[in-house]
């Protein structure tokens, strides 16, 4: 059969460079003549995305952690059919955050990990996950926060722990790749990312896998 595009996800802790790297990757793929689209989650332009944007920006807008979690997942389901169609047309899709962020942040707030994973079950599973990481100590320096630093660092540590659960999962083993960005320039991280993507450029005849299904 004909080849579909690959679903490539860049995940990671806050301010590790996900947006910088997904933007660069899409530009590089396009400049080499590949059809490619960038999808950033949360996508704040959709009906549910607009609610998420209000939740993230307006502290007066209160939502339970559970309700917020379900909105982030619903935001991915809003775009799932479009992503699938795009891949099937032979176009690559590069994702900036996805299900792993959704589960890691909510579980770090104290929600049950499996409960968090269940609304995302069945979403298109990435063919490649590139997880950008660095020590929470260095991350803290990049974020430039003052008095709240300790709390933020503690939460980031919890988020990191939850992300690490995926790295250990059998179903993720073949797709999960860690890139340590500590002390590396944007170009150096870009080279590491390209090294992982380079082997996938012909697309694939594999069906799109479903997350945790
Ligand atoms: N969230 C959730 O709870 N559930 C979900 O399901 C999803 C998300 C999808 C907003 O996400 C919040 O939503 C987020 C998770 C939660 N909560 N927090 N915090 P978002 O993706 O919209 O967040 P963001 O603020 O746009 O992304 P980010 O993580 O803060 O940044 P980034 O994309 O990883 O990094 P960047 O913008 O590319 O770079 C950050 C800065 O570092 C920037 O000034 C760069 O120029 C600089 N940078 C980048 N690379 C380097 C290197 N190599 N060296 C030095 N400096 C660098």
């Amino acid at each position: 059969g004909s080849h579909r595009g690959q679903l490539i996800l860049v995940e990671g802790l806050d301010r590790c460079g996900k947006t910088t790297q997904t933007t660069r990757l899409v530009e590089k793929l396009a400049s080499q003549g590949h059809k490619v689209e960038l999808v950033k989650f949360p996508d704040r332009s959709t009906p549910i995305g607009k609610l998420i944007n209000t939740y993230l920006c307006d502290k007066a807008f209160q939502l339970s952690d559970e309700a917020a979690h379900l909105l982030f997942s619903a935001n991915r389901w809003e775009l799932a059919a479009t992503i699938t169609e795009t891949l099937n047309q032979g176009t690559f899709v590069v994702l900036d955050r996805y299900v792993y962020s959704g589960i890691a942040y909510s579980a770090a707030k104290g929600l049950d990990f499996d409960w968090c994973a269940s609304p995302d079950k069945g979403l298109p599973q990435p063919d490649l996950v590139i997880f950008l990481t660095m020590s929470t100590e260095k991350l803290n320096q990049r974020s430039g926060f003052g008095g709240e630093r300790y709390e933020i660092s503690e939460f980031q540590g919890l988020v990191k722990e939850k992300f690490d659960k995926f790295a250990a999962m059998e179903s993720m083993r073949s797709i999960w790749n860690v890139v340590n960005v500590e002390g590396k320039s944007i170009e150096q991280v870009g080279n590491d990312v390209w090294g992982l993507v380079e082997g996938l450029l012909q697309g694939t005849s594999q069906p799109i896998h479903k997350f945790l299904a």
Side-chain angles (χ1 to χ4, degrees), residues 11-22 40-44 52 55-56 68-69 72-73 75-76 96-106 109 120 132 134 142 155-156 181 183-189:
E11 270 288 5
L13 303 175
D14 285 6
R15 290 163 203 263
C16 266
K18 295 177 295 298
T19 300
T20 306
Q21 292 302 332
T22 49
K40 180 172 162 59
F41 284 110
D43 179 337
R44 303 178 194 225
I52 292 172
Y55 167 72
L56 287 171
H69 180 77
F72 279 109
S73 177
N75 186 226
R76 288 184 278 279
D96 179 350
R97 288 196 193 271
Y98 197 49
V99 293
Y100 308 96
S101 278
I103 297 161
Y105 281 83
S106 293
K109 291 177 187 169
D120 283 328
L132 306 184
M134 64 169 115
R142 197 177 274 190
F155 184 70
Q156 286 297 318
V181 303
K184 288 182 188 161
S185 69
I186 289 170
E187 283 69 27
Q188 283 172 314
V189 178

Tab-separated table of all heavy atoms in Angstrom, residues 11-22 40-44 52 55-56 68-69 72-73 75-76 96-106 109 120 132 134 142 155-156 181 183-189, ligand 1:
chain	number	residue	atom	x	y	z
A	11	GLU	N	8.104	15.978	23.328
A	11	GLU	CA	7.579	16.162	24.676
A	11	GLU	C	8.692	16.667	25.575
A	11	GLU	O	9.856	16.678	25.179
A	11	GLU	CB	7.102	14.805	25.237
A	11	GLU	CG	5.656	14.462	24.954
A	11	GLU	CD	4.677	15.304	25.781
A	11	GLU	OE1	5.104	16.234	26.511
A	11	GLU	OE2	3.474	15.025	25.687
A	12	GLY	N	8.331	17.034	26.778
A	12	GLY	CA	9.387	17.377	27.723
A	12	GLY	C	8.915	18.274	28.826
A	12	GLY	O	7.763	18.713	28.862
A	13	LEU	N	9.825	18.531	29.726
A	13	LEU	CA	9.556	19.408	30.854
A	13	LEU	C	9.416	20.838	30.347
A	13	LEU	O	9.779	21.149	29.215
A	13	LEU	CB	10.706	19.302	31.858
A	13	LEU	CG	10.976	17.875	32.372
A	13	LEU	CD1	12.203	17.869	33.272
A	13	LEU	CD2	9.766	17.321	33.109
A	14	ASP	N	8.885	21.709	31.201
A	14	ASP	CA	8.694	23.114	30.848
A	14	ASP	C	10.010	23.742	30.399
A	14	ASP	O	11.038	23.531	31.033
A	14	ASP	CB	8.205	23.907	32.074
A	14	ASP	CG	6.743	23.630	32.365
A	14	ASP	OD1	6.169	22.761	31.693
A	14	ASP	OD2	6.194	24.292	33.259
A	15	ARG	N	9.927	24.540	29.386
A	15	ARG	CA	11.042	25.366	28.915
A	15	ARG	C	12.282	24.587	28.476
A	15	ARG	O	13.395	25.104	28.474
A	15	ARG	CB	11.464	26.385	30.005
A	15	ARG	CG	10.399	27.452	30.176
A	15	ARG	CD	10.575	28.179	31.473
A	15	ARG	NE	9.303	28.780	31.870
A	15	ARG	CZ	8.977	30.038	31.647
A	15	ARG	NH1	9.827	30.833	31.050
A	15	ARG	NH2	7.836	30.504	32.039
A	16	CYS	N	12.064	23.323	28.120
A	16	CYS	CA	13.189	22.525	27.616
A	16	CYS	C	13.457	22.815	26.146
A	16	CYS	O	14.470	22.367	25.602
A	16	CYS	CB	12.902	21.041	27.785
A	16	CYS	SG	13.561	20.383	29.304
A	17	GLY	N	12.532	23.531	25.499
A	17	GLY	CA	12.745	23.873	24.094
A	17	GLY	C	11.843	23.155	23.114
A	17	GLY	O	12.179	23.045	21.925
A	18	LYS	N	10.677	22.682	23.559
A	18	LYS	CA	9.775	21.942	22.670
A	18	LYS	C	9.319	22.783	21.480
A	18	LYS	O	9.355	22.340	20.338
A	18	LYS	CB	8.531	21.471	23.454
A	18	LYS	CG	8.850	20.466	24.550
A	18	LYS	CD	7.621	20.088	25.354
A	18	LYS	CE	7.039	21.255	26.139
A	18	LYS	NZ	7.940	21.833	27.146
A	19	THR	N	8.868	24.013	21.774
A	19	THR	CA	8.357	24.861	20.693
A	19	THR	C	9.480	25.271	19.746
A	19	THR	O	9.310	25.255	18.517
A	19	THR	CB	7.627	26.087	21.297
A	19	THR	OG1	6.546	25.594	22.102
A	19	THR	CG2	7.070	27.002	20.227
A	20	THR	N	10.645	25.589	20.321
A	20	THR	CA	11.816	25.928	19.500
A	20	THR	C	12.147	24.768	18.559
A	20	THR	O	12.348	24.975	17.353
A	20	THR	CB	13.045	26.198	20.413
A	20	THR	OG1	12.685	27.187	21.374
A	20	THR	CG2	14.253	26.646	19.616
A	21	GLN	N	12.176	23.555	19.085
A	21	GLN	CA	12.621	22.403	18.297
A	21	GLN	C	11.560	21.920	17.308
A	21	GLN	O	11.901	21.510	16.201
A	21	GLN	CB	13.060	21.255	19.219
A	21	GLN	CG	14.334	21.563	20.012
A	21	GLN	CD	15.536	21.895	19.138
A	21	GLN	OE1	15.645	21.430	17.990
A	21	GLN	NE2	16.450	22.705	19.656
A	22	THR	N	10.274	21.964	17.699
A	22	THR	CA	9.251	21.521	16.737
A	22	THR	C	9.197	22.493	15.561
A	22	THR	O	9.053	22.064	14.409
A	22	THR	CB	7.848	21.375	17.382
A	22	THR	OG1	7.546	22.551	18.124
A	22	THR	CG2	7.769	20.177	18.299
A	40	LYS	N	0.270	21.995	17.877
A	40	LYS	CA	0.701	22.272	19.248
A	40	LYS	C	-0.456	22.057	20.211
A	40	LYS	O	-1.552	22.557	19.981
A	40	LYS	CB	1.190	23.727	19.331
A	40	LYS	CG	1.658	24.134	20.728
A	40	LYS	CD	2.317	25.506	20.714
A	40	LYS	CE	2.403	26.136	22.090
A	40	LYS	NZ	3.156	25.337	23.071
A	41	PHE	N	-0.210	21.268	21.252
A	41	PHE	CA	-1.225	21.074	22.299
A	41	PHE	C	-0.811	21.769	23.583
A	41	PHE	O	0.359	21.692	23.965
A	41	PHE	CB	-1.443	19.582	22.569
A	41	PHE	CG	-2.254	18.915	21.485
A	41	PHE	CD1	-1.662	18.001	20.625
A	41	PHE	CD2	-3.595	19.229	21.334
A	41	PHE	CE1	-2.408	17.397	19.620
A	41	PHE	CE2	-4.351	18.621	20.328
A	41	PHE	CZ	-3.755	17.703	19.475
A	42	PRO	N	-1.739	22.455	24.282
A	42	PRO	CA	-3.125	22.618	23.864
A	42	PRO	C	-3.247	23.482	22.604
A	42	PRO	O	-2.488	24.420	22.436
A	42	PRO	CB	-3.776	23.321	25.067
A	42	PRO	CG	-2.663	24.033	25.759
A	42	PRO	CD	-1.456	23.174	25.545
A	43	ASP	N	-4.217	23.107	21.713
A	43	ASP	CA	-4.559	23.967	20.573
A	43	ASP	C	-5.643	24.910	21.072
A	43	ASP	O	-6.794	24.505	21.258
A	43	ASP	CB	-5.053	23.122	19.398
A	43	ASP	CG	-5.445	24.001	18.207
A	43	ASP	OD1	-5.761	25.202	18.413
A	43	ASP	OD2	-5.452	23.497	17.079
A	44	ARG	N	-5.234	26.153	21.314
A	44	ARG	CA	-6.130	27.110	21.979
A	44	ARG	C	-7.149	27.737	21.033
A	44	ARG	O	-7.959	28.551	21.456
A	44	ARG	CB	-5.281	28.206	22.653
A	44	ARG	CG	-4.273	27.626	23.659
A	44	ARG	CD	-3.402	28.694	24.287
A	44	ARG	NE	-2.248	28.094	24.975
A	44	ARG	CZ	-1.826	28.434	26.189
A	44	ARG	NH1	-2.450	29.385	26.865
A	44	ARG	NH2	-0.777	27.844	26.723
A	52	ILE	N	-9.636	26.101	27.604
A	52	ILE	CA	-8.340	25.772	28.211
A	52	ILE	C	-7.495	27.033	28.339
A	52	ILE	O	-6.843	27.253	29.370
A	52	ILE	CB	-7.603	24.696	27.377
A	52	ILE	CG1	-8.340	23.361	27.466
A	52	ILE	CG2	-6.144	24.549	27.833
A	52	ILE	CD1	-7.802	22.279	26.539
A	55	TYR	N	-8.675	28.935	31.240
A	55	TYR	CA	-8.241	28.239	32.459
A	55	TYR	C	-6.761	28.530	32.760
A	55	TYR	O	-6.388	28.791	33.897
A	55	TYR	CB	-8.477	26.738	32.292
A	55	TYR	CG	-7.802	25.860	33.320
A	55	TYR	CD1	-8.253	25.815	34.641
A	55	TYR	CD2	-6.713	25.054	32.965
A	55	TYR	CE1	-7.630	24.998	35.581
A	55	TYR	CE2	-6.098	24.237	33.897
A	55	TYR	CZ	-6.557	24.208	35.203
A	55	TYR	OH	-5.939	23.408	36.130
A	56	LEU	N	-5.925	28.521	31.722
A	56	LEU	CA	-4.485	28.718	31.931
A	56	LEU	C	-4.141	30.186	32.241
A	56	LEU	O	-3.182	30.458	32.954
A	56	LEU	CB	-3.686	28.256	30.697
A	56	LEU	CG	-3.591	26.744	30.484
A	56	LEU	CD1	-2.964	26.439	29.130
A	56	LEU	CD2	-2.789	26.066	31.598
A	68	ALA	N	-10.368	19.948	34.314
A	68	ALA	CA	-9.294	20.490	33.467
A	68	ALA	C	-8.643	19.360	32.667
A	68	ALA	O	-8.403	19.483	31.458
A	68	ALA	CB	-8.258	21.215	34.329
A	69	HIS	N	-8.399	18.247	33.354
A	69	HIS	CA	-7.765	17.099	32.692
A	69	HIS	C	-8.588	16.632	31.487
A	69	HIS	O	-8.058	16.388	30.402
A	69	HIS	CB	-7.588	15.942	33.676
A	69	HIS	CG	-6.957	14.746	33.051
A	69	HIS	ND1	-5.604	14.687	32.798
A	69	HIS	CD2	-7.486	13.601	32.548
A	69	HIS	CE1	-5.332	13.546	32.185
A	69	HIS	NE2	-6.456	12.872	32.027
A	72	PHE	N	-8.277	18.963	28.460
A	72	PHE	CA	-7.033	18.780	27.693
A	72	PHE	C	-7.143	17.541	26.795
A	72	PHE	O	-6.706	17.565	25.638
A	72	PHE	CB	-5.825	18.627	28.630
A	72	PHE	CG	-5.257	19.914	29.166
A	72	PHE	CD1	-5.411	20.272	30.500
A	72	PHE	CD2	-4.541	20.779	28.339
A	72	PHE	CE1	-4.863	21.450	31.006
A	72	PHE	CE2	-3.988	21.965	28.831
A	72	PHE	CZ	-4.150	22.303	30.168
A	73	SER	N	-7.742	16.453	27.334
A	73	SER	CA	-7.901	15.240	26.531
A	73	SER	C	-8.906	15.477	25.391
A	73	SER	O	-8.657	15.096	24.245
A	73	SER	CB	-8.366	14.077	27.413
A	73	SER	OG	-8.578	12.933	26.613
A	75	ASN	N	-9.537	18.168	23.916
A	75	ASN	CA	-8.862	19.017	22.929
A	75	ASN	C	-8.076	18.145	21.929
A	75	ASN	O	-8.052	18.430	20.719
A	75	ASN	CB	-7.938	19.976	23.690
A	75	ASN	CG	-7.267	21.029	22.819
A	75	ASN	OD1	-6.059	21.255	22.951
A	75	ASN	ND2	-8.011	21.697	21.945
A	76	ARG	N	-7.481	17.046	22.415
A	76	ARG	CA	-6.774	16.136	21.504
A	76	ARG	C	-7.780	15.374	20.637
A	76	ARG	O	-7.556	15.184	19.437
A	76	ARG	CB	-5.897	15.166	22.313
A	76	ARG	CG	-4.686	15.845	22.917
A	76	ARG	CD	-3.754	14.875	23.631
A	76	ARG	NE	-4.151	14.538	24.985
A	76	ARG	CZ	-3.923	15.288	26.058
A	76	ARG	NH1	-3.286	16.425	25.942
A	76	ARG	NH2	-4.308	14.895	27.253
A	96	ASP	N	3.718	19.191	19.289
A	96	ASP	CA	4.379	19.884	20.397
A	96	ASP	C	3.510	19.636	21.637
A	96	ASP	O	2.463	20.240	21.776
A	96	ASP	CB	4.445	21.384	20.040
A	96	ASP	CG	5.093	22.250	21.110
A	96	ASP	OD1	5.336	21.769	22.236
A	96	ASP	OD2	5.341	23.439	20.804
A	97	ARG	N	3.912	18.700	22.483
A	97	ARG	CA	3.144	18.162	23.621
A	97	ARG	C	1.983	17.312	23.122
A	97	ARG	O	1.405	17.555	22.063
A	97	ARG	CB	2.578	19.258	24.526
A	97	ARG	CG	3.586	20.006	25.382
A	97	ARG	CD	2.805	20.738	26.475
A	97	ARG	NE	3.559	21.740	27.201
A	97	ARG	CZ	4.276	21.491	28.288
A	97	ARG	NH1	4.381	20.264	28.737
A	97	ARG	NH2	4.901	22.469	28.911
A	98	TYR	N	1.579	16.318	23.991
A	98	TYR	CA	0.476	15.414	23.615
A	98	TYR	C	0.011	14.661	24.851
A	98	TYR	O	0.071	15.220	25.949
A	98	TYR	CB	0.996	14.474	22.514
A	98	TYR	CG	-0.028	13.725	21.698
A	98	TYR	CD1	-1.123	14.351	21.131
A	98	TYR	CD2	0.126	12.349	21.477
A	98	TYR	CE1	-2.045	13.647	20.353
A	98	TYR	CE2	-0.776	11.633	20.704
A	98	TYR	CZ	-1.860	12.294	20.137
A	98	TYR	OH	-2.757	11.591	19.358
A	99	VAL	N	-0.418	13.429	24.682
A	99	VAL	CA	-0.995	12.655	25.791
A	99	VAL	C	-0.079	12.550	27.005
A	99	VAL	O	-0.554	12.538	28.146
A	99	VAL	CB	-1.379	11.218	25.337
A	99	VAL	CG1	-2.516	11.284	24.338
A	99	VAL	CG2	-0.197	10.478	24.729
A	100	TYR	N	1.218	12.480	26.770
A	100	TYR	CA	2.152	12.272	27.887
A	100	TYR	C	2.183	13.489	28.806
A	100	TYR	O	2.217	13.353	30.026
A	100	TYR	CB	3.547	11.924	27.358
A	100	TYR	CG	3.485	10.779	26.371
A	100	TYR	CD1	3.431	11.017	24.992
A	100	TYR	CD2	3.410	9.470	26.816
A	100	TYR	CE1	3.321	9.970	24.085
A	100	TYR	CE2	3.303	8.413	25.919
A	100	TYR	CZ	3.258	8.669	24.554
A	100	TYR	OH	3.132	7.637	23.671
A	101	SER	N	2.143	14.699	28.224
A	101	SER	CA	2.007	15.913	29.035
A	101	SER	C	0.696	15.870	29.802
A	101	SER	O	0.639	16.198	30.993
A	101	SER	CB	1.996	17.179	28.163
A	101	SER	OG	3.290	17.582	27.809
A	102	GLY	N	-0.366	15.499	29.089
A	102	GLY	CA	-1.689	15.481	29.706
A	102	GLY	C	-1.697	14.636	30.967
A	102	GLY	O	-2.189	15.054	32.024
A	103	ILE	N	-1.147	13.434	30.873
A	103	ILE	CA	-1.164	12.498	31.998
A	103	ILE	C	-0.155	12.931	33.069
A	103	ILE	O	-0.467	12.936	34.260
A	103	ILE	CB	-0.885	11.065	31.486
A	103	ILE	CG1	-2.015	10.646	30.533
A	103	ILE	CG2	-0.759	10.093	32.653
A	103	ILE	CD1	-1.666	9.496	29.618
A	104	ALA	N	1.048	13.331	32.648
A	104	ALA	CA	2.101	13.655	33.615
A	104	ALA	C	1.720	14.850	34.500
A	104	ALA	O	1.913	14.811	35.721
A	104	ALA	CB	3.421	13.924	32.893
A	105	TYR	N	1.163	15.905	33.906
A	105	TYR	CA	0.826	17.100	34.703
A	105	TYR	C	-0.318	16.806	35.669
A	105	TYR	O	-0.292	17.214	36.826
A	105	TYR	CB	0.493	18.295	33.801
A	105	TYR	CG	1.733	18.962	33.266
A	105	TYR	CD1	2.374	18.477	32.144
A	105	TYR	CD2	2.303	20.053	33.919
A	105	TYR	CE1	3.540	19.053	31.667
A	105	TYR	CE2	3.464	20.648	33.451
A	105	TYR	CZ	4.077	20.139	32.325
A	105	TYR	OH	5.232	20.697	31.876
A	106	SER	N	-1.352	16.102	35.188
A	106	SER	CA	-2.493	15.823	36.066
A	106	SER	C	-2.114	14.842	37.164
A	106	SER	O	-2.532	15.002	38.312
A	106	SER	CB	-3.664	15.281	35.251
A	106	SER	OG	-4.169	16.290	34.391
A	109	LYS	N	-0.367	16.486	39.878
A	109	LYS	CA	-1.263	17.228	40.787
A	109	LYS	C	-1.900	16.299	41.815
A	109	LYS	O	-2.600	16.767	42.708
A	109	LYS	CB	-2.379	17.911	39.987
A	109	LYS	CG	-1.928	19.061	39.106
A	109	LYS	CD	-3.146	19.572	38.313
A	109	LYS	CE	-2.764	20.598	37.274
A	109	LYS	NZ	-3.930	20.863	36.367
A	120	ASP	N	-7.497	9.286	27.090
A	120	ASP	CA	-6.629	9.391	25.905
A	120	ASP	C	-6.498	8.060	25.158
A	120	ASP	O	-5.946	8.016	24.053
A	120	ASP	CB	-5.223	9.871	26.298
A	120	ASP	CG	-5.180	11.369	26.576
A	120	ASP	OD1	-5.952	12.118	25.945
A	120	ASP	OD2	-4.381	11.791	27.423
A	132	LEU	N	12.473	15.726	25.679
A	132	LEU	CA	13.554	16.658	26.034
A	132	LEU	C	13.615	16.799	27.549
A	132	LEU	O	12.607	17.055	28.204
A	132	LEU	CB	13.304	18.036	25.401
A	132	LEU	CG	13.068	18.075	23.896
A	132	LEU	CD1	12.933	19.525	23.424
A	132	LEU	CD2	14.184	17.366	23.130
A	134	MET	N	16.191	17.810	31.225
A	134	MET	CA	17.397	18.294	31.890
A	134	MET	C	17.151	18.198	33.383
A	134	MET	O	16.030	17.922	33.819
A	134	MET	CB	17.746	19.710	31.451
A	134	MET	CG	16.743	20.776	31.799
A	134	MET	SD	17.445	22.421	31.504
A	134	MET	CE	16.417	23.023	30.218
A	142	ARG	N	16.661	28.266	34.131
A	142	ARG	CA	16.144	28.752	32.854
A	142	ARG	C	14.817	29.490	33.048
A	142	ARG	O	14.539	30.471	32.410
A	142	ARG	CB	15.962	27.599	31.874
A	142	ARG	CG	15.827	28.067	30.439
A	142	ARG	CD	15.713	26.937	29.442
A	142	ARG	NE	16.989	26.411	28.993
A	142	ARG	CZ	17.139	25.557	27.993
A	142	ARG	NH1	16.097	25.132	27.328
A	142	ARG	NH2	18.316	25.100	27.638
A	155	PHE	N	7.373	20.685	41.887
A	155	PHE	CA	6.318	20.219	40.979
A	155	PHE	C	6.931	19.648	39.703
A	155	PHE	O	6.512	18.590	39.223
A	155	PHE	CB	5.333	21.352	40.654
A	155	PHE	CG	4.179	20.898	39.801
A	155	PHE	CD1	3.204	20.064	40.320
A	155	PHE	CD2	4.086	21.289	38.477
A	155	PHE	CE1	2.140	19.619	39.537
A	155	PHE	CE2	3.030	20.856	37.683
A	155	PHE	CZ	2.054	20.023	38.216
A	156	GLN	N	7.947	20.339	39.179
A	156	GLN	CA	8.630	19.850	37.969
A	156	GLN	C	9.240	18.477	38.207
A	156	GLN	O	9.237	17.632	37.312
A	156	GLN	CB	9.717	20.840	37.528
A	156	GLN	CG	9.165	22.104	36.896
A	156	GLN	CD	8.395	21.803	35.619
A	156	GLN	OE1	8.793	21.003	34.789
A	156	GLN	NE2	7.251	22.450	35.473
A	181	VAL	N	19.035	17.909	27.146
A	181	VAL	CA	19.340	19.194	26.507
A	181	VAL	C	20.274	20.057	27.347
A	181	VAL	O	20.664	21.143	26.922
A	181	VAL	CB	18.031	19.989	26.202
A	181	VAL	CG1	17.098	19.161	25.328
A	181	VAL	CG2	17.315	20.424	27.478
A	183	GLY	N	22.987	22.094	28.870
A	183	GLY	CA	24.259	22.618	28.378
A	183	GLY	C	24.399	22.587	26.860
A	183	GLY	O	25.464	22.883	26.334
A	184	LYS	N	23.317	22.211	26.147
A	184	LYS	CA	23.413	22.138	24.680
A	184	LYS	C	22.769	23.359	24.037
A	184	LYS	O	21.729	23.831	24.493
A	184	LYS	CB	22.712	20.878	24.167
A	184	LYS	CG	23.470	19.594	24.482
A	184	LYS	CD	22.728	18.401	23.904
A	184	LYS	CE	23.357	17.086	24.384
A	184	LYS	NZ	22.417	15.973	24.224
A	185	SER	N	23.364	23.837	22.962
A	185	SER	CA	22.784	24.956	22.213
A	185	SER	C	21.547	24.470	21.455
A	185	SER	O	21.332	23.263	21.311
A	185	SER	CB	23.808	25.495	21.212
A	185	SER	OG	24.019	24.534	20.198
A	186	ILE	N	20.753	25.423	20.962
A	186	ILE	CA	19.578	25.088	20.154
A	186	ILE	C	19.998	24.227	18.955
A	186	ILE	O	19.330	23.251	18.616
A	186	ILE	CB	18.845	26.381	19.729
A	186	ILE	CG1	18.157	27.008	20.952
A	186	ILE	CG2	17.831	26.111	18.605
A	186	ILE	CD1	17.584	28.403	20.739
A	187	GLU	N	21.139	24.580	18.324
A	187	GLU	CA	21.642	23.815	17.171
A	187	GLU	C	22.000	22.386	17.577
A	187	GLU	O	21.675	21.437	16.853
A	187	GLU	CB	22.888	24.476	16.558
A	187	GLU	CG	22.606	25.691	15.703
A	187	GLU	CD	22.116	26.902	16.500
A	187	GLU	OE1	22.469	27.007	17.703
A	187	GLU	OE2	21.370	27.718	15.940
A	188	GLN	N	22.673	22.251	18.712
A	188	GLN	CA	23.080	20.904	19.160
A	188	GLN	C	21.862	20.022	19.431
A	188	GLN	O	21.836	18.858	19.033
A	188	GLN	CB	23.946	20.995	20.422
A	188	GLN	CG	25.374	21.434	20.151
A	188	GLN	CD	26.142	21.687	21.444
A	188	GLN	OE1	25.634	22.336	22.364
A	188	GLN	NE2	27.360	21.190	21.515
A	189	VAL	N	20.857	20.596	20.112
A	189	VAL	CA	19.635	19.822	20.375
A	189	VAL	C	18.958	19.492	19.035
A	189	VAL	O	18.490	18.365	18.822
A	189	VAL	CB	18.664	20.586	21.309
A	189	VAL	CG1	17.377	19.792	21.522
A	189	VAL	CG2	19.328	20.892	22.650
B	1	LIG	N1	-0.665	20.934	29.889
B	1	LIG	C1	-1.437	20.089	30.661
B	1	LIG	O1	-1.542	20.259	31.873
B	1	LIG	N2	-2.082	19.055	30.063
B	1	LIG	C2	-2.003	18.811	28.737
B	1	LIG	O2	-2.633	17.867	28.234
B	1	LIG	C3	-1.188	19.692	27.938
B	1	LIG	C4	-0.541	20.735	28.552
B	1	LIG	C5	-1.070	19.450	26.454
B	1	LIG	C6	0.751	25.098	28.753
B	1	LIG	O3	1.431	24.301	27.817
B	1	LIG	C7	0.519	24.311	30.019
B	1	LIG	O4	-0.408	23.259	29.778
B	1	LIG	C8	1.755	23.621	30.528
B	1	LIG	C9	1.456	22.145	30.503
B	1	LIG	C10	-0.023	22.103	30.518
B	1	LIG	N3	1.933	23.984	31.908
B	1	LIG	N4	2.897	24.503	32.344
B	1	LIG	N5	3.765	25.028	32.749
B	1	LIG	P1	2.242	24.959	26.648
B	1	LIG	O5	2.862	23.894	25.820
B	1	LIG	O6	1.349	25.950	25.967
B	1	LIG	O7	3.403	25.683	27.483
B	1	LIG	P2	4.457	26.644	26.933
B	1	LIG	O8	4.562	27.628	28.017
B	1	LIG	O9	4.182	27.132	25.570
B	1	LIG	O10	5.723	25.746	26.721
B	1	LIG	P3	7.008	25.613	27.614
B	1	LIG	O11	7.011	24.202	28.121
B	1	LIG	O12	7.125	26.670	28.643
B	1	LIG	O13	8.220	25.894	26.662
B	1	LIG	P4	8.976	24.993	25.557
B	1	LIG	O14	8.100	24.922	24.355
B	1	LIG	O15	9.456	23.709	26.061
B	1	LIG	O16	10.250	25.844	25.307
B	1	LIG	P5	10.566	26.980	24.235
B	1	LIG	O17	9.419	27.948	24.180
B	1	LIG	O18	11.015	26.410	22.972
B	1	LIG	O19	11.837	27.621	24.948
B	1	LIG	C11	11.768	28.251	26.215
B	1	LIG	C12	12.883	29.309	26.301
B	1	LIG	O20	14.173	28.674	26.310
B	1	LIG	C13	12.908	30.269	25.104
B	1	LIG	O21	13.306	31.518	25.543
B	1	LIG	C14	13.967	29.647	24.183
B	1	LIG	O22	14.567	30.586	23.323
B	1	LIG	C15	14.952	29.103	25.188
B	1	LIG	N6	15.699	27.932	24.711
B	1	LIG	C16	15.229	26.923	23.924
B	1	LIG	N7	16.191	26.013	23.674
B	1	LIG	C17	17.301	26.461	24.315
B	1	LIG	C18	18.642	25.968	24.437
B	1	LIG	N8	19.025	24.815	23.859
B	1	LIG	N9	19.503	26.670	25.171
B	1	LIG	C19	19.139	27.828	25.776
B	1	LIG	N10	17.900	28.356	25.705
B	1	LIG	C20	16.994	27.690	24.981
